[in-house]
Every structure is written in C-alpha cells, then in structure tokens.
Coordinates of all heavy atoms in Angstrom, one line a residue:
M1 N 20.1 -21.9 -5.7 CA 20.0 -22.8 -6.8 C 20.6 -22.1 -8.1 O 20.1 -21.1 -8.4 CB 18.5 -23.2 -7.0 CG 18.3 -24.2 -8.1 SD 16.6 -24.6 -8.1 CE 16.5 -25.4 -9.6
L2 N 21.5 -22.7 -8.7 CA 22.1 -22.1 -9.8 C 21.3 -22.4 -11.1 O 20.9 -23.5 -11.3 CB 23.6 -22.7 -10.0 CG 24.6 -22.3 -8.9 CD1 25.9 -23.0 -9.1 CD2 24.8 -20.8 -8.9
K3 N 21.2 -21.4 -11.9 CA 20.5 -21.6 -13.2 C 21.5 -21.8 -14.3 O 22.4 -21.0 -14.4 CB 19.6 -20.4 -13.5 CG 18.6 -20.1 -12.4 CD 17.3 -20.8 -12.7 CE 16.3 -20.4 -11.7 NZ 15.1 -21.3 -11.8
R4 N 21.3 -22.8 -15.1 CA 22.2 -23.0 -16.2 C 21.7 -22.2 -17.4 O 20.5 -22.0 -17.5 CB 22.4 -24.5 -16.5 CG 23.2 -25.1 -15.4 CD 23.3 -26.6 -15.7 NE 22.0 -27.2 -15.3 CZ 21.7 -28.4 -15.5 NH1 22.5 -29.2 -16.2 NH2 20.6 -28.9 -15.1
R5 N 22.5 -21.9 -18.3 CA 22.2 -21.2 -19.5 C 21.2 -22.0 -20.3 O 21.4 -23.2 -20.5 CB 23.4 -20.9 -20.3 CG 23.1 -20.0 -21.4 CD 24.4 -19.5 -22.0 NE 24.1 -18.6 -23.1 CZ 24.9 -18.1 -23.9 NH1 26.2 -18.3 -23.7 NH2 24.6 -17.3 -24.9
G6 N 20.2 -21.4 -20.8 CA 19.2 -22.1 -21.6 C 18.1 -22.8 -20.8 O 17.2 -23.3 -21.4
E7 N 18.1 -22.7 -19.5 CA 17.1 -23.3 -18.7 C 15.8 -22.5 -18.7 O 15.9 -21.2 -18.7 CB 17.6 -23.5 -17.3 CG 16.7 -24.3 -16.4 CD 17.3 -24.5 -15.0 OE1 18.5 -24.6 -14.9 OE2 16.5 -24.7 -14.1
V8 N 14.7 -23.1 -18.8 CA 13.4 -22.4 -18.8 C 13.0 -21.9 -17.4 O 13.1 -22.7 -16.5 CB 12.3 -23.3 -19.4 CG1 11.0 -22.6 -19.4 CG2 12.7 -23.8 -20.8
I9 N 12.7 -20.6 -17.4 CA 12.2 -20.0 -16.1 C 10.7 -19.8 -16.2 O 10.3 -19.3 -17.2 CB 13.0 -18.7 -15.8 CG1 14.5 -18.9 -15.8 CG2 12.5 -18.0 -14.6 CD1 15.3 -17.6 -15.7
S10 N 10.0 -20.1 -15.1 CA 8.6 -19.9 -15.2 C 8.3 -18.4 -15.2 O 9.0 -17.6 -14.6 CB 7.9 -20.6 -14.0 OG 8.3 -20.0 -12.8
I11 N 7.1 -18.0 -15.8 CA 6.8 -16.6 -15.9 C 6.6 -15.9 -14.5 O 7.0 -14.8 -14.3 CB 5.6 -16.4 -16.8 CG1 5.9 -16.8 -18.2 CG2 5.0 -15.0 -16.7 CD1 4.9 -16.7 -19.2
K12 N 6.0 -16.6 -13.6 CA 5.7 -16.0 -12.3 C 7.0 -15.6 -11.6 O 7.0 -14.7 -10.7 CB 4.9 -16.9 -11.4 CG 5.6 -18.2 -11.0 CD 4.8 -19.0 -10.1 CE 5.5 -20.3 -9.6 NZ 4.8 -21.1 -8.7
D13 N 8.1 -16.3 -11.9 CA 9.4 -16.0 -11.2 C 10.3 -15.0 -12.0 O 11.4 -14.6 -11.6 CB 10.2 -17.3 -11.0 CG 9.5 -18.2 -10.0 OD1 8.8 -17.7 -9.2 OD2 9.7 -19.4 -10.2
L14 N 9.8 -14.6 -13.2 CA 10.6 -13.8 -14.1 C 11.0 -12.5 -13.5 O 12.1 -12.0 -13.6 CB 9.9 -13.6 -15.4 CG 10.7 -13.1 -16.6 CD1 11.9 -14.0 -16.9 CD2 9.8 -13.0 -17.8
F15 N 10.0 -11.8 -12.8 CA 10.3 -10.5 -12.3 C 10.4 -10.5 -10.8 O 10.2 -9.4 -10.1 CB 9.2 -9.5 -12.8 CG 9.2 -9.3 -14.3 CD1 8.2 -9.8 -15.0 CD2 10.2 -8.6 -14.8 CE1 8.2 -9.7 -16.4 CE2 10.2 -8.4 -16.2 CZ 9.2 -8.9 -17.0
S16 N 10.6 -11.6 -10.1 CA 10.6 -11.7 -8.7 C 11.8 -10.8 -8.1 O 11.6 -10.2 -7.0 CB 10.8 -13.1 -8.2 OG 12.0 -13.7 -8.7
K17 N 12.9 -10.7 -8.8 CA 14.0 -9.9 -8.3 C 13.6 -8.4 -8.2 O 13.8 -7.8 -7.2 CB 15.2 -10.0 -9.3 CG 16.3 -9.1 -9.0 CD 17.4 -9.2 -10.0 CE 18.5 -8.2 -9.8 NZ 19.5 -8.2 -10.8
Y18 N 12.9 -7.9 -9.2 CA 12.5 -6.5 -9.2 C 11.3 -6.3 -8.2 O 11.2 -5.2 -7.6 CB 12.1 -6.1 -10.6 CG 13.2 -6.2 -11.6 CD1 13.2 -7.2 -12.5 CD2 14.3 -5.4 -11.5 CE1 14.3 -7.4 -13.4 CE2 15.4 -5.6 -12.3 CZ 15.4 -6.5 -13.3 OH 16.4 -6.7 -14.1
K19 N 10.5 -7.3 -8.0 CA 9.4 -7.2 -7.1 C 9.9 -7.0 -5.7 O 9.3 -6.3 -4.9 CB 8.5 -8.4 -7.2 CG 7.2 -8.3 -6.5 CD 6.4 -9.6 -6.8 CE 5.0 -9.5 -6.1 NZ 4.2 -10.7 -6.4
N20 N 11.0 -7.7 -5.4 CA 11.6 -7.6 -4.0 C 12.4 -6.3 -3.8 O 12.5 -5.9 -2.6 CB 12.5 -8.8 -3.8 CG 11.7 -10.1 -3.7 OD1 10.6 -10.1 -3.3 ND2 12.4 -11.2 -4.1
I21 N 12.9 -5.7 -4.8 CA 13.7 -4.5 -4.7 C 13.0 -3.2 -4.8 O 13.2 -2.3 -4.0 CB 14.9 -4.5 -5.8 CG1 15.8 -5.7 -5.5 CG2 15.7 -3.3 -5.8 CD1 16.8 -5.9 -6.6
L22 N 12.1 -3.1 -5.8 CA 11.4 -1.8 -6.1 C 10.3 -1.5 -5.0 O 9.6 -2.3 -4.5 CB 10.8 -1.9 -7.4 CG 11.8 -2.1 -8.6 CD1 11.0 -2.2 -9.9 CD2 12.7 -0.9 -8.7
I23 N 10.2 -0.2 -4.8 CA 9.2 0.3 -3.8 C 8.3 1.2 -4.6 O 8.7 2.0 -5.4 CB 9.9 1.2 -2.7 CG1 10.9 0.3 -1.9 CG2 8.9 1.8 -1.8 CD1 11.7 1.0 -1.0
P24 N 7.0 1.1 -4.4 CA 6.0 1.9 -5.2 C 6.2 3.4 -4.8 O 6.5 3.7 -3.6 CB 4.7 1.4 -4.8 CG 4.9 0.7 -3.5 CD 6.3 0.2 -3.5
P25 N 6.0 4.3 -5.7 CA 6.1 5.7 -5.4 C 5.0 6.2 -4.4 O 4.0 5.5 -4.2 CB 5.9 6.4 -6.8 CG 5.6 5.4 -7.7 CD 5.6 4.1 -7.1
Q26 N 5.2 7.3 -3.9 CA 4.4 7.9 -2.8 C 2.9 8.1 -3.4 O 2.0 7.7 -2.7 CB 4.9 9.3 -2.4 CG 4.1 10.0 -1.4 CD 4.7 11.3 -1.0 OE1 5.8 11.7 -1.5 NE2 4.0 12.1 -0.2
K27 N 2.8 8.6 -4.6 CA 1.5 8.8 -5.1 C 0.7 7.5 -5.3 O -0.5 7.5 -5.1 CB 1.6 9.5 -6.5 CG 0.3 10.0 -7.1 CD -0.2 11.2 -6.2 CE -1.3 11.8 -6.9 NZ -1.8 12.9 -6.1
T28 N 1.3 6.4 -5.6 CA 0.7 5.1 -5.8 C 0.1 4.7 -4.5 O -1.0 4.2 -4.4 CB 1.7 4.1 -6.3 OG1 2.3 4.5 -7.5 CG2 1.0 2.7 -6.5
V29 N 0.9 4.8 -3.4 CA 0.4 4.4 -2.1 C -0.8 5.3 -1.7 O -1.8 4.8 -1.1 CB 1.5 4.5 -1.0 CG1 1.0 4.2 0.4 CG2 2.6 3.6 -1.4
E30 N -0.7 6.6 -1.9 CA -1.8 7.5 -1.6 C -3.1 7.1 -2.4 O -4.2 7.1 -1.8 CB -1.5 9.0 -1.9 CG -0.4 9.5 -1.0 CD 0.0 10.9 -1.4 OE1 -0.4 11.4 -2.5 OE2 0.9 11.5 -0.7
M31 N -3.0 6.9 -3.7 CA -4.2 6.5 -4.5 C -4.8 5.2 -4.0 O -6.0 5.0 -3.9 CB -3.8 6.5 -6.0 CG -3.4 7.8 -6.5 SD -4.6 9.1 -6.3 CE -5.9 8.5 -7.3
E32 N -4.0 4.2 -3.7 CA -4.5 2.9 -3.3 C -5.1 3.1 -1.9 O -6.1 2.4 -1.6 CB -3.3 1.9 -3.2 CG -3.8 0.5 -3.1 CD -4.6 0.1 -4.3 OE1 -4.3 0.5 -5.5 OE2 -5.6 -0.7 -4.1
T33 N -4.6 3.9 -1.0 CA -5.2 4.1 0.3 C -6.6 4.8 0.1 O -7.5 4.4 0.8 CB -4.3 5.0 1.1 OG1 -3.0 4.4 1.3 CG2 -4.9 5.2 2.5
I34 N -6.7 5.7 -0.8 CA -8.0 6.3 -1.1 C -9.0 5.3 -1.5 O -10.2 5.3 -1.1 CB -7.9 7.5 -2.1 CG1 -7.1 8.7 -1.5 CG2 -9.2 7.9 -2.6 CD1 -6.7 9.7 -2.5
R35 N -8.6 4.4 -2.4 CA -9.5 3.3 -2.9 C -9.9 2.4 -1.8 O -11.1 2.1 -1.7 CB -8.8 2.5 -4.0 CG -8.8 3.2 -5.3 CD -8.3 2.2 -6.4 NE -7.7 3.0 -7.5 CZ -6.4 3.1 -7.7 NH1 -5.6 2.5 -7.0 NH2 -6.0 3.9 -8.7
V36 N -9.0 2.0 -1.0 CA -9.3 1.0 0.1 C -10.2 1.7 1.2 O -11.1 1.1 1.6 CB -8.0 0.5 0.8 CG1 -8.3 -0.3 2.0 CG2 -7.2 -0.3 -0.2
I37 N -9.9 3.0 1.5 CA -10.8 3.7 2.4 C -12.2 3.8 1.9 O -13.2 3.5 2.6 CB -10.2 5.1 2.8 CG1 -9.0 4.9 3.7 CG2 -11.3 5.9 3.5 CD1 -8.3 6.2 3.9
G38 N -12.3 4.0 0.6 CA -13.7 4.1 0.0 C -14.4 2.8 0.0 O -15.6 2.7 0.2
E39 N -13.6 1.7 -0.2 CA -14.3 0.4 -0.2 C -14.7 -0.1 1.2 O -15.7 -0.7 1.3 CB -13.3 -0.7 -0.9 CG -13.1 -0.5 -2.3 CD -12.0 -1.4 -2.9 OE1 -11.4 -2.2 -2.1 OE2 -11.7 -1.2 -4.1
C40 N -13.8 0.2 2.1 CA -14.1 -0.3 3.5 C -15.1 0.5 4.3 O -15.8 0.0 5.1 CB -12.8 -0.3 4.3 SG -11.6 -1.6 3.7
T41 N -15.1 1.8 4.0 CA -16.0 2.7 4.8 C -17.1 3.4 4.0 O -18.0 3.9 4.6 CB -15.1 3.8 5.5 OG1 -14.6 4.7 4.5 CG2 -14.1 3.3 6.4
G42 N -16.9 3.4 2.7 CA -17.9 4.1 1.9 C -17.7 5.6 1.8 O -18.5 6.3 1.3
L43 N -16.6 6.1 2.4 CA -16.3 7.5 2.4 C -15.4 7.8 1.2 O -14.5 7.1 0.9 CB -15.6 7.9 3.7 CG -16.4 7.6 5.0 CD1 -15.5 7.9 6.2 CD2 -17.6 8.5 5.1
S44 N -15.6 9.0 0.7 CA -14.7 9.4 -0.4 C -13.8 10.5 0.1 O -14.2 11.5 0.7 CB -15.5 9.9 -1.6 OG -16.3 11.1 -1.3
I45 N -12.5 10.4 -0.2 CA -11.5 11.3 0.2 C -10.8 11.9 -1.1 O -10.5 11.1 -2.0 CB -10.5 10.7 1.1 CG1 -11.1 10.2 2.4 CG2 -9.3 11.6 1.4 CD1 -10.2 9.4 3.3
K46 N -10.5 13.1 -1.1 CA -9.9 13.7 -2.3 C -8.4 13.6 -2.2 O -7.8 13.3 -1.1 CB -10.2 15.2 -2.4 CG -11.7 15.5 -2.6 CD -12.0 16.9 -2.6 CE -13.5 17.1 -2.7 NZ -13.9 18.5 -2.4
E47 N -7.7 13.7 -3.3 CA -6.2 13.5 -3.3 C -5.5 14.5 -2.5 O -4.4 14.2 -1.9 CB -5.7 13.6 -4.8 CG -6.1 12.4 -5.6 CD -5.6 12.6 -7.0 OE1 -4.4 13.0 -7.2 OE2 -6.3 12.2 -8.0
N48 N -6.0 15.7 -2.4 CA -5.3 16.8 -1.6 C -5.6 16.6 -0.1 O -5.0 17.4 0.7 CB -5.7 18.2 -2.1 CG -7.2 18.4 -2.0 OD1 -8.0 17.6 -1.6 ND2 -7.6 19.6 -2.3
Q49 N -6.3 15.7 0.3 CA -6.6 15.5 1.7 C -5.8 14.4 2.4 O -5.9 14.1 3.5 CB -8.1 15.2 2.0 CG -9.0 16.3 1.6 CD -10.5 15.9 1.8 OE1 -10.9 14.8 1.4 NE2 -11.3 16.8 2.3
I50 N -4.9 13.8 1.6 CA -4.1 12.7 2.1 C -2.6 12.9 1.8 O -2.3 13.4 0.7 CB -4.6 11.3 1.6 CG1 -4.0 10.1 2.2 CG2 -4.5 11.3 0.1 CD1 -4.6 8.8 1.9
T51 N -1.7 12.6 2.7 CA -0.3 12.6 2.5 C 0.3 11.3 3.0 O -0.2 10.8 4.0 CB 0.4 13.8 3.1 OG1 0.1 13.8 4.5 CG2 -0.1 15.1 2.5
Y52 N 1.3 10.8 2.4 CA 2.0 9.6 2.8 C 3.5 10.0 3.0 O 4.2 10.5 2.0 CB 1.8 8.5 1.8 CG 2.6 7.3 2.1 CD1 2.3 6.5 3.2 CD2 3.6 6.8 1.2 CE1 3.0 5.3 3.5 CE2 4.4 5.7 1.5 CZ 4.0 4.9 2.6 OH 4.7 3.8 2.9
T53 N 4.0 9.6 4.1 CA 5.5 9.8 4.4 C 6.2 8.5 4.2 O 5.9 7.5 5.0 CB 5.7 10.4 5.8 OG1 4.9 11.5 6.0 CG2 7.1 10.7 6.1
V54 N 7.0 8.4 3.3 CA 7.7 7.2 2.9 C 8.6 6.7 4.0 O 8.6 5.5 4.4 CB 8.5 7.3 1.6 CG1 9.2 6.0 1.2 CG2 7.5 7.7 0.5
S55 N 9.4 7.6 4.6 CA 10.4 7.2 5.6 C 9.7 6.6 6.9 O 10.3 5.6 7.4 CB 11.3 8.4 6.0 OG 10.5 9.4 6.5
T56 N 8.6 7.1 7.3 CA 7.9 6.6 8.5 C 6.8 5.6 8.1 O 6.2 5.0 9.0 CB 7.4 7.7 9.4 OG1 6.5 8.5 8.6 CG2 8.5 8.5 9.9
R57 N 6.4 5.5 6.8 CA 5.3 4.7 6.4 C 4.0 5.1 7.1 O 3.3 4.2 7.6 CB 5.6 3.2 6.5 CG 6.8 2.8 5.6 CD 7.3 1.5 5.8 NE 6.3 0.4 5.8 CZ 6.5 -0.8 6.1 NH1 7.7 -1.2 6.4 NH2 5.6 -1.7 6.0
T58 N 3.7 6.4 7.1 CA 2.6 6.9 7.8 C 1.7 7.7 6.8 O 2.2 8.5 6.0 CB 3.0 7.9 8.9 OG1 3.9 7.2 9.8 CG2 1.9 8.4 9.7
V59 N 0.4 7.4 6.9 CA -0.6 8.1 6.2 C -1.2 9.2 7.1 O -1.7 8.9 8.2 CB -1.7 7.2 5.6 CG1 -2.8 8.0 5.0 CG2 -1.2 6.2 4.7
N60 N -1.2 10.4 6.6 CA -1.8 11.5 7.3 C -3.0 12.1 6.6 O -2.9 12.4 5.4 CB -0.8 12.7 7.5 CG -1.2 13.7 8.5 OD1 -2.3 13.6 9.1 ND2 -0.4 14.7 8.8
L61 N -4.2 12.2 7.3 CA -5.4 12.6 6.7 C -5.7 14.0 7.1 O -5.7 14.3 8.3 CB -6.5 11.7 7.0 CG -6.3 10.2 6.6 CD1 -7.4 9.4 7.2 CD2 -6.4 10.1 5.1
Q62 N -6.1 14.9 6.2 CA -6.6 16.3 6.6 C -8.1 16.3 6.2 O -8.5 16.9 5.3 CB -5.8 17.3 5.8 CG -4.4 17.5 6.1 CD -3.4 16.7 5.3 OE1 -3.8 16.3 4.2 NE2 -2.3 16.4 5.8
V63 N -8.8 15.7 7.1 CA -10.3 15.6 6.9 C -11.0 16.0 8.2 O -10.3 16.2 9.3 CB -10.7 14.2 6.5 CG1 -10.3 13.9 5.1 CG2 -10.3 13.1 7.5
S64 N -12.3 16.1 8.2 CA -13.0 16.5 9.4 C -12.9 15.4 10.5 O -12.6 14.2 10.2 CB -14.5 16.8 9.1 OG -15.1 15.6 8.8
G65 N -13.2 15.8 11.7 CA -13.0 14.8 12.8 C -13.9 13.6 12.7 O -13.5 12.5 13.1
M66 N -15.2 13.8 12.2 CA -16.1 12.7 12.1 C -15.6 11.7 11.1 O -15.7 10.4 11.3 CB -17.5 13.2 11.7 CG -18.2 13.9 12.8 SD -19.8 14.6 12.4 CE -20.6 13.2 11.6
I67 N -15.1 12.1 10.0 CA -14.6 11.2 9.0 C -13.3 10.5 9.5 O -13.1 9.3 9.3 CB -14.3 12.0 7.6 CG1 -15.6 12.5 7.0 CG2 -13.5 11.1 6.7 CD1 -15.4 13.4 5.9
K68 N -12.4 11.3 10.1 CA -11.2 10.7 10.7 C -11.5 9.6 11.7 O -10.9 8.6 11.8 CB -10.3 11.8 11.3 CG -8.9 11.3 11.5 CD -8.1 12.4 12.0 CE -7.5 13.2 10.9 NZ -6.4 14.2 11.3
Q69 N -12.5 9.9 12.5 CA -12.9 8.9 13.6 C -13.5 7.6 12.9 O -13.1 6.5 13.4 CB -14.0 9.5 14.5 CG -14.3 8.6 15.7 CD -13.1 8.5 16.6 OE1 -12.3 9.3 16.7 NE2 -13.1 7.4 17.3
E70 N -14.2 7.7 11.9 CA -14.8 6.6 11.2 C -13.6 5.7 10.6 O -13.7 4.5 10.6 CB -15.8 7.0 10.1 CG -16.4 5.9 9.3 CD -17.4 5.1 10.2 OE1 -18.0 5.6 11.1 OE2 -17.5 3.9 9.9
I71 N -12.6 6.4 10.0 CA -11.5 5.7 9.4 C -10.7 5.1 10.5 O -10.2 3.9 10.4 CB -10.6 6.7 8.6 CG1 -11.5 7.1 7.4 CG2 -9.3 6.1 8.2 CD1 -10.9 8.3 6.6
K72 N -10.5 5.7 11.7 CA -9.8 5.1 12.8 C -10.4 3.9 13.3 O -9.8 2.9 13.7 CB -9.6 6.1 13.9 CG -8.6 7.2 13.7 CD -7.2 6.6 13.7 CE -6.4 7.1 14.7 NZ -5.0 6.6 14.6
I73 N -11.8 3.8 13.3 CA -12.5 2.7 13.8 C -12.2 1.5 12.9 O -12.0 0.4 13.4 CB -14.0 2.9 13.8 CG1 -14.3 3.9 15.0 CG2 -14.8 1.7 14.0 CD1 -15.7 4.4 14.9
K74 N -12.1 1.7 11.6 CA -11.8 0.6 10.7 C -10.4 0.5 10.2 O -10.0 0.0 9.2 CB -12.7 0.7 9.5 CG -14.2 0.6 9.9 CD -15.1 0.4 8.7 CE -16.5 0.3 9.2 NZ -17.3 -0.3 8.2
S75 N -9.5 1.2 11.0 CA -8.1 1.2 10.5 C -7.4 -0.1 10.4 O -6.6 -0.3 9.5 CB -7.3 2.1 11.5 OG -7.2 1.6 12.7
R76 N -7.7 -1.1 11.3 CA -7.1 -2.4 11.2 C -7.5 -3.1 9.9 O -6.7 -3.7 9.2 CB -7.5 -3.3 12.3 CG -6.8 -2.9 13.6 CD -7.1 -3.9 14.7 NE -6.4 -3.6 15.9 CZ -6.7 -4.2 17.0 NH1 -7.6 -5.1 17.1 NH2 -6.0 -3.8 18.1
E77 N -8.8 -3.0 9.5 CA -9.2 -3.6 8.3 C -8.6 -2.9 7.1 O -8.2 -3.5 6.1 CB -10.8 -3.4 8.2 CG -11.4 -4.0 7.0 CD -12.9 -3.8 7.0 OE1 -13.5 -3.5 8.0 OE2 -13.5 -3.8 5.9
I78 N -8.5 -1.6 7.1 CA -7.9 -0.8 6.0 C -6.4 -1.2 5.9 O -5.9 -1.4 4.7 CB -8.0 0.7 6.3 CG1 -9.5 1.1 6.2 CG2 -7.2 1.5 5.3 CD1 -9.8 2.5 6.7
L79 N -5.7 -1.2 7.0 CA -4.2 -1.6 6.9 C -4.0 -3.0 6.4 O -3.1 -3.3 5.7 CB -3.6 -1.3 8.3 CG -3.4 0.1 8.7 CD1 -2.9 0.2 10.1 CD2 -2.5 0.9 7.7
K80 N -4.9 -3.9 6.8 CA -4.8 -5.3 6.4 C -5.0 -5.4 4.9 O -4.3 -6.1 4.2 CB -5.9 -6.1 7.1 CG -5.7 -7.6 7.0 CD -6.8 -8.3 7.8 CE -6.7 -9.8 7.7 NZ -7.6 -10.5 8.6
E81 N -6.0 -4.7 4.4 CA -6.2 -4.7 2.9 C -5.1 -4.1 2.2 O -4.7 -4.5 1.1 CB -7.5 -4.0 2.6 CG -7.9 -4.0 1.2 CD -8.2 -5.5 0.7 OE1 -8.6 -6.3 1.4 OE2 -8.0 -5.7 -0.6
L82 N -4.5 -3.0 2.7 CA -3.3 -2.4 2.1 C -2.1 -3.3 2.1 O -1.3 -3.3 1.1 CB -3.0 -1.0 2.8 CG -3.9 0.1 2.5 CD1 -3.6 1.3 3.4 CD2 -3.8 0.6 1.0
N83 N -2.0 -4.1 3.1 CA -0.9 -5.1 3.1 C -1.1 -6.1 2.0 O -0.1 -6.5 1.4 CB -0.9 -5.9 4.5 CG -0.1 -5.2 5.5 OD1 0.8 -4.4 5.2 ND2 -0.3 -5.5 6.8
K84 N -2.3 -6.5 1.7 CA -2.5 -7.5 0.6 C -2.2 -6.8 -0.7 O -1.6 -7.5 -1.6 CB -4.0 -7.9 0.6 CG -4.4 -8.8 1.7 CD -5.8 -9.2 1.6 CE -6.4 -9.9 2.8 NZ -7.8 -10.1 2.7
R85 N -2.6 -5.6 -0.9 CA -2.5 -5.0 -2.2 C -1.1 -4.5 -2.5 O -0.6 -4.5 -3.6 CB -3.5 -3.8 -2.4 CG -4.9 -4.3 -2.4 CD -5.8 -3.2 -2.7 NE -7.2 -3.6 -2.6 CZ -8.2 -2.9 -3.0 NH1 -8.0 -1.7 -3.5 NH2 -9.5 -3.4 -2.9
L86 N -0.4 -3.9 -1.5 CA 0.9 -3.3 -1.7 C 2.1 -4.1 -1.2 O 3.2 -3.7 -1.3 CB 0.9 -1.9 -1.0 CG -0.1 -0.9 -1.5 CD1 0.0 0.4 -0.6 CD2 0.3 -0.5 -2.9
E87 N 1.8 -5.2 -0.6 CA 2.8 -6.1 0.0 C 3.2 -5.5 1.3 O 3.2 -4.3 1.5 CB 3.9 -6.4 -0.9 CG 3.5 -7.2 -2.1 CD 4.7 -7.5 -3.0 OE1 5.9 -7.4 -2.5 OE2 4.5 -7.9 -4.1
K88 N 3.7 -6.3 2.2 CA 4.0 -6.0 3.6 C 5.1 -4.9 3.7 O 4.9 -3.9 4.5 CB 4.4 -7.2 4.4 CG 4.5 -6.9 5.8 CD 4.7 -8.1 6.6 CE 4.8 -7.8 8.1 NZ 4.2 -8.7 9.0
K89 N 6.1 -5.0 2.9 CA 7.2 -4.0 3.1 C 6.9 -2.6 2.5 O 7.6 -1.7 2.8 CB 8.5 -4.6 2.5 CG 8.5 -4.6 1.0 CD 9.9 -5.0 0.4 CE 9.9 -4.7 -1.0 NZ 11.2 -4.5 -1.5
N90 N 5.9 -2.5 1.7 CA 5.6 -1.3 1.0 C 4.3 -0.6 1.6 O 4.1 0.6 1.2 CB 5.4 -1.5 -0.5 CG 6.6 -2.1 -1.1 OD1 7.7 -1.8 -0.8 ND2 6.4 -3.0 -2.1
S91 N 3.6 -1.2 2.4 CA 2.3 -0.7 2.8 C 2.5 0.2 4.1 O 3.4 0.0 4.8 CB 1.3 -1.8 3.1 OG 1.8 -2.6 4.2
P92 N 1.6 1.1 4.3 CA 1.6 2.0 5.5 C 1.4 1.2 6.8 O 0.8 0.2 6.8 CB 0.5 3.0 5.3 CG 0.0 2.8 3.9 CD 0.5 1.5 3.4
L93 N 2.0 1.7 7.8 CA 1.9 1.1 9.1 C 0.9 1.8 10.0 O 0.3 1.2 10.9 CB 3.3 1.1 9.8 CG 4.4 0.3 9.2 CD1 5.7 0.5 9.9 CD2 4.0 -1.2 9.1
Y94 N 0.8 3.1 9.8 CA -0.1 3.9 10.7 C -1.0 4.9 9.8 O -0.6 5.3 8.7 CB 0.7 4.8 11.6 CG 1.8 4.1 12.4 CD1 3.1 4.1 12.0 CD2 1.4 3.3 13.5 CE1 4.0 3.4 12.8 CE2 2.3 2.6 14.2 CZ 3.6 2.7 13.8 OH 4.6 2.0 14.5
I95 N -2.2 5.2 10.3 CA -3.1 6.1 9.7 C -3.4 7.2 10.8 O -3.9 6.8 11.9 CB -4.4 5.5 9.2 CG1 -4.1 4.5 8.1 CG2 -5.3 6.6 8.7 CD1 -5.3 3.7 7.7
F96 N -3.0 8.4 10.6 CA -3.3 9.5 11.5 C -4.2 10.5 10.9 O -4.1 10.9 9.7 CB -2.0 10.2 11.9 CG -1.2 9.4 12.8 CD1 0.0 8.9 12.3 CD2 -1.6 9.0 14.0 CE1 0.9 8.1 13.1 CE2 -0.7 8.2 14.8 CZ 0.5 7.8 14.4

C-alpha cells in the first residue's frame, strides 16, 4: 500500500519497520531471561551465571544441578514467556 505525502500514520505503525529489523542486544536477552526464570520458578540467578549465544539462540546456565533441573522442568513455560516478551525471532530457542 503506497503512502501519499501528508497522509496520517497511526502511532502503533510508526516504528514497525525498526521493530522488524532490530535485534535486542545479548545483555537484554540475558536480563529478561533472569526475570522470567525468577517469575516462573521463584529462583534467583546472578548475571554472571547466565550466557546467551546470539548465533544459536541458546541460553547456557552455570548453576548447580538442582537449580538447573528445576529450570529444565519449567523450560517450556519459560521459553513461551520469553517469546511473548522478546518476540519470536529474538527469543532463545534452548536452555542448557
């Protein structure tokens, strides 16, 4: 659909081009993952215990086995919530 000069564009569509192109930085995904894990499981993870690989979209946790197992049990719920918050193309696919 062609836009003519002077036509009014709704605010919700104003930044849609950038929303589709830009990818959140690695740190943003790590911080949001920490928040979601805390909300879903009630466990707190420090920033230095999580890494996110952008190319493979994988979250790696350096925590004890018991904590990792609890996160693995609720991994579907965690990944689903991350999809809502970060959008499908930017959210992690795997938690290890």
Side-chain angles (χ1 to χ4, degrees):
M1 181 174 167
L2 295 174
K3 300 273 184 191
R4 288 180 280 172
R5 189 172 180 181
E7 189 174 330
V8 177
I9 301 172
S10 65
I11 292 182
K12 67 178 182 178
D13 296 333
L14 194 59
F15 295 108
S16 63
K17 173 183 174 185
Y18 301 110
K19 190 175 182 182
N20 293 331
I21 295 173
L22 297 177
I23 299 171
Q26 178 180 357
K27 190 69 170 178
T28 304
V29 175
E30 290 175 357
M31 295 305 293
E32 197 61 36
T33 303
I34 290 171
R35 280 190 208 104
V36 171
I37 288 173
E39 291 172 4
C40 291
T41 63
L43 302 171
S44 61
I45 297 175
K46 298 177 185 170
E47 289 181 39
N48 61 356
Q49 294 177 317
I50 190 169
T51 56
Y52 176 65
T53 307
V54 179
S55 60
T56 60
R57 293 171 54 186
T58 304
V59 173
N60 192 1
L61 302 169
Q62 291 94 23
V63 293
S64 69
M66 288 177 50
I67 294 173
K68 195 177 273 192
Q69 188 65 29
E70 183 68 30
I71 292 170
K72 282 296 238 184
I73 290 171
K74 297 193 177 199
S75 65
R76 284 187 181 168
E77 182 182 338
I78 293 168
L79 291 173
K80 189 175 181 179
E81 185 63 29
L82 285 169
N83 272 339
K84 287 181 191 174
R85 294 186 185 189
L86 297 172
E87 296 184 16
K88 188 170 181 144
K89 71 172 192 156
N90 302 324
S91 64
L93 297 175
Y94 307 104
I95 299 176
F96 292 112

